[in-house]
Amino acid sequence: TGDDAGVELGGWDDVVEMKSFEVMTEEVAFCDRKMQQLGASNPEAEEWRLRKEDVETQMQMLEQNIEFGLLKQEDYRKSVEAAIGKANRDLANLKAKGRTEEAGRLDRWIAVMCHEIGAKKPAPVAPTAARPSAAKPKPAPAPAPKAQAPAPAPAAAGPAAAPAAASAGAPAVAKRPPPPGYTEAASPGRVADTGNFAGPQLSSMDDVDDSLDDGDDIVSYEVMTEELKECEKRLKQLGKSPEAQDEEFKRDDLKIKMQIFEDQIDCGVLTQDAYVAKLKAAIMAEQKKNEAFKQKGNKEGMIRCAKRVKIMTDELKMAQ
């Protein structure tokens, strides 16, 4: 792993440590080239495909945190500056170990980050002095950043372009139509729901597998609509089998929940601001669940979480 070079070189390209949107974009393209070179039948191609998915998820979370105002432009710039310094130190150690191919790749990252924030490329540094690997155990991979650190594919002129303009302020979210059923007349001065919602509470990693099937956790009208469609599909597939009854209960619960939501909007009990707050909290909760699924190797759960995040993000844009 390169511990004897004084730095954890095995983790120089860890996805969770990536701070630059442009480097992530570069890495996605690199993964595509690797997969093309290896061919679909090569087992190594699957590893690059999974890496590409991880990078795209990291990009998505970065976009959302900028879009929701959780990561300011100046803080983003500082994180990229710090990443440049770390990459420059790692580069020296990679060269010292004779790992020229990796060094070339990292050197490219440094150039991309410097161009992204308009900074000069740092001068080369000396390799870090060797130190015994037993002196400091290798840390476990860091979890995906929470609220202040870092999830849908960037649109042509959407928030993805924001980090590249380092001098600009944090990107503004376009004002678009409100959520379904919402009327402006229902909300002024009628704040019964304050939106204090912390998202689904998971007591342990063992709870997370079932949490996606718990309709009580769903706050998004559009996610409810999507779940209802999936229920109807499954009911057609199940026919009159015993499992169909559970699916019918879930479908009926979703319909009731949607009706309550519509009534709250019509009566002004749920304001637009409160609904937006609920959506933001729910998105962050889904991101936490996605990390838990990732640690457990539950790909189906990761896909469902990502889909929900995409739906709620689009809904949030419409509501703001």
Side-chain angles (χ1 to χ4, degrees):
T1 62
D3 293 346
D4 54 345
V7 67
E8 299 293 349
L9 290 180
W12 71 266
D13 61 347
D14 281 351
V15 173
V16 294
E17 296 299 327
M18 290 183 179
K19 307 299 181 185
S20 161
F21 189 91
E22 295 303 320
V23 165
M24 296 178 209
T25 303
E26 179 95 358
E27 189 65 6
V28 167
F30 183 84
C31 290
D32 283 334
R33 291 195 298 272
K34 278 290 186 181
M35 288 187 288
Q36 188 174 11
Q37 292 168 2
L38 291 167
S41 59
N42 193 316
E44 289 184 28
E46 176 65 8
E47 295 179 15
W48 286 105
R49 186 189 68 79
L50 293 174
R51 178 175 175 80
K52 178 184 175 181
E53 289 182 357
D54 287 345
V55 175
E56 288 175 336
T57 299
Q58 191 81 345
M59 292 172 73
Q60 189 178 24
M61 288 190 287
L62 174 59
E63 284 185 315
Q64 286 186 340
N65 280 327
I66 291 178
E67 195 170 332
F68 301 159
L70 300 175
L71 179 62
K72 302 300 181 184
Q73 195 70 37
E74 185 57 32
D75 292 332
Y76 174 77
R77 181 185 177 87
K78 289 178 180 177
S79 70
V80 175
E81 288 175 345
I84 290 172
K86 179 183 182 301
N88 201 38
R89 294 189 295 272
D90 288 349
L91 177 62
N93 286 284
L94 285 170
K95 288 180 176 179
K97 294 294 294 180
R99 293 160 66 172
T100 54
E101 183 177 348
E102 292 170 279
R105 189 165 150 219
L106 186 55
D107 192 41
R108 169 67 181 168
W109 285 15
I110 294 172
V112 168
M113 288 188 284
C114 289
H115 181 268
E116 182 179 11
I117 64 172
K120 291 183 179 180
K121 192 172 181 181
V125 297
T128 308
R131 64 172 179 261
S133 59
K136 183 178 179 181
K138 185 174 180 178
K146 299 181 181 178
Q148 288 292 332
S167 60
V173 180
K175 298 293 182 183
R176 298 181 182 176
Y182 176 82
T183 58
E184 288 292 336
S187 67
R190 303 176 68 178
V191 185
D193 188 329
T194 61
N196 293 328
F197 173 77
Q201 301 301 306
L202 307 176
S203 60
S204 71
M205 289 288 287
D206 294 329
D207 295 336
V208 76
D209 282 334
D210 297 326
S211 64
L212 282 176
D213 294 316
D214 185 356
D216 292 339
D217 287 343
I218 302 175
V219 301
S220 160
Y221 188 90
E222 295 301 324
V223 169
M224 292 181 222
T225 303
E226 185 64 27
E227 286 292 322
L228 186 59
K229 290 179 183 177
E230 292 298 322
C231 277
E232 298 291 359
K233 287 181 185 177
R234 286 191 290 269
L235 281 170
K236 287 182 180 179
Q237 295 170 352
L238 292 170
K240 295 184 178 180
S241 65
E243 293 84 1
Q245 188 174 28
D246 289 339
E247 204 64 31
E248 286 174 353
F249 288 150
K250 182 177 179 180
R251 178 196 61 189
D252 294 342
D253 287 344
L254 283 167
K255 286 182 176 180
I256 293 170
K257 195 173 180 68
M258 291 172 74
Q259 185 61 56
I260 291 172
F261 176 94
E262 291 169 358
D263 291 343
Q264 288 178 332
I265 291 288
D266 291 340
C267 298
V269 173
L270 178 62
T271 68
Q272 186 178 25
D273 288 345
Y275 184 59
V276 166
K278 286 176 179 286
L279 282 178
K280 289 181 178 180
I283 287 170
M284 286 190 285
E286 288 296 324
Q287 290 174 343
K288 290 178 183 177
K289 280 196 275 188
N290 185 63
E291 279 303 310
F293 282 132
K294 183 177 178 180
Q295 291 178 32
K296 298 181 80 170
N298 187 333
K299 292 184 180 180
E300 181 182 357
M302 291 171 64
I303 292 170
R304 290 181 67 186
C305 273
K307 186 175 182 181
R308 285 189 179 184
V309 168
K310 174 67 167 63
I311 291 171
M312 288 190 286
T313 301
D314 290 345
E315 189 178 10
L316 188 61
K317 290 178 182 178
M318 295 287 288
Q320 291 183 307

